[in-house]
Amino acid sequence: MDFYDFTVAQPEPGTDQLSGFGDLHARAAANGARHGTPVILGPEGKPDPKVNLFFRTGAMVDARPSTWRRYAYALVVWLEFLRVFGRRWQDATPRDVEAFKEWRLTDLRNDERVLPTSFDTDRAALNTFYVWAGHRYGVANPVASAGVRLGRRPSFSGELEGYTGGSRDPLRPAGSSRRQVKWMLRTAFEQWRNIGLCGYAFDGVRRRGWRGSNEDRDAAFVDGLYGTGLRLTEWASVLDVELPAVGNARFSSAWLSAACIKRGEEGRVYRVPRSVLSAVAAYTDPLEGSRMEAVRRAQRAGRYDALHAVRIVTGYNARNRTLIVEGGSGPVPISVDVLGPDERRLLFRRTSHGLEPLWLWLAPGGLPKKPHGWEDTFQAANERVAEAWVRTAGPGLEGEERERRKAECPLWARPHMLRHSFCLKWFSILSAVWQRRVDGFTEEEVRDLREQLGDIWYQLATLMGHKHPETTRNIYLEPFSALEVDYLMALLDEEETAGVDALLRAVTRDGGRTLTGVVPATGPEEIGEPGAVR
């Protein structure tokens, strides 16, 4: 499997037979391919035109590149499964799909079994593919479903839109109705970060021989995920000009581009903690940060000059979020909201040393680090943490027993866990603020307030960038919705608790119903109003 990449120069034809093939990019575009469109080859090295057409026609044309990638991987696994049994995809039956489900989820012979939530996406991909193939080629859909209403297009959120909500899809795994949501307290997160990315051991001492050439980048990146609640692709696609400078504010506002948001909805404001901005500033420091070292390596090697379709940025207007880009007939203003991740990786500025990318997060060689490449960073960090765990909890173990102990390591992280943790923290904070605001109100008055102002779920959905509060309530925090505020507040560390206390003092002061203490005056001229706070 490969993906069309219109950002690289097209290769020269290697044989005389291809000399008249013409411009490869133009031919691909004429055939309906876009940047990121998958290309699947069979075991013999030949493509199946019908399978590849799926990604270039119909409803999939409007899908995001991330959806293409996920659905393409699901199809490849399915096609390989069928090939083992000598079955063509056109001839697949419901029994084949059931066998595929068993293999992916429960078959003891499969060492790469997946969680029900992962298979749920496979199921949605296969269903969407066979619905399309049925309309286009008359192929029977082997994916069992509870019924489909006609006239509606597939959505790409892991579920076929049009599927009747009143009955359950028989192929959908029982464990897929609720995501495997996990949270990390800050103490656990910092321990995972320090051990997995910064070379420390569980005793807090840095490991001998540690070479952390990229640890300032990796630590700043994961701090950003934990502190902002952004999705992996969103935070990984930020340009350096889009982040505010470090200031006195505990949280600074930044803009998230619409083209980088899941499902391409409207851009939105998000908040960046001061500690995260400080970590990013250290990473981008021109003298001591690893980012400039990577840039210099790439400039010396000529990597930037060899890139295809680079766009030169000459200015940025933060007020209206517009980049000024060199064009054929002069400067061209371009809104950052229309620039997706792939385009952003090609934005450069000219400096006295040569070209320099605006893309914030760079690979060691100086090229922009692709968002999905961060999955490898998390995997490597988890492996280091597991190794450190074995050295501490089971020294001297070897072979299978050592691997078993590594698998039992209780400390690990995935990118989306950090978003879940952000959500839990702010649920705790907003719960405390809401409770303080409604102290003394009757049940009917509280209900009226919710109708007029919305409750914490609306506020939390805004922080998370969810379109509907139900998403936040039902998926991210449903297990915590019945817990007492005092218990949730106990989950925060000292620094976070201090910030919450300051917030609550401001809420009670502005509410005008609570006395917060009087600061004794040193002279008659300094006496203030009763209950005033200085």
Side-chain angles (χ1 to χ4, degrees), residues 59-102:
M60 285 299 287
V61 172
D62 297 327
R64 306 276 287 182
S66 58
T67 301
W68 290 337
R69 178 178 292 272
R70 182 64 185 86
Y71 277 30
Y73 278 114
L75 273 179
V76 165
V77 175
W78 165 245
L79 294 173
E80 178 64 14
F81 178 83
L82 292 177
R83 186 190 68 82
V84 170
F85 296 99
R87 179 91 66 178
R88 301 190 312 159
W89 65 265
Q90 298 95 323
D91 303 324
T93 66
R95 292 189 62 181
D96 294 326
V97 180
E98 286 290 346
F100 180 62
K101 175 184 175 181
E102 181 182 0

Side-chain angles (χ1 to χ4, degrees), residues 154-175:
S155 69
F156 302 100
S157 58
E159 183 65 60
L160 185 70
E161 191 174 340
Y163 170 72
T164 56
S167 53
R168 180 174 177 82
D169 188 328
L171 189 64
R172 192 174 194 185

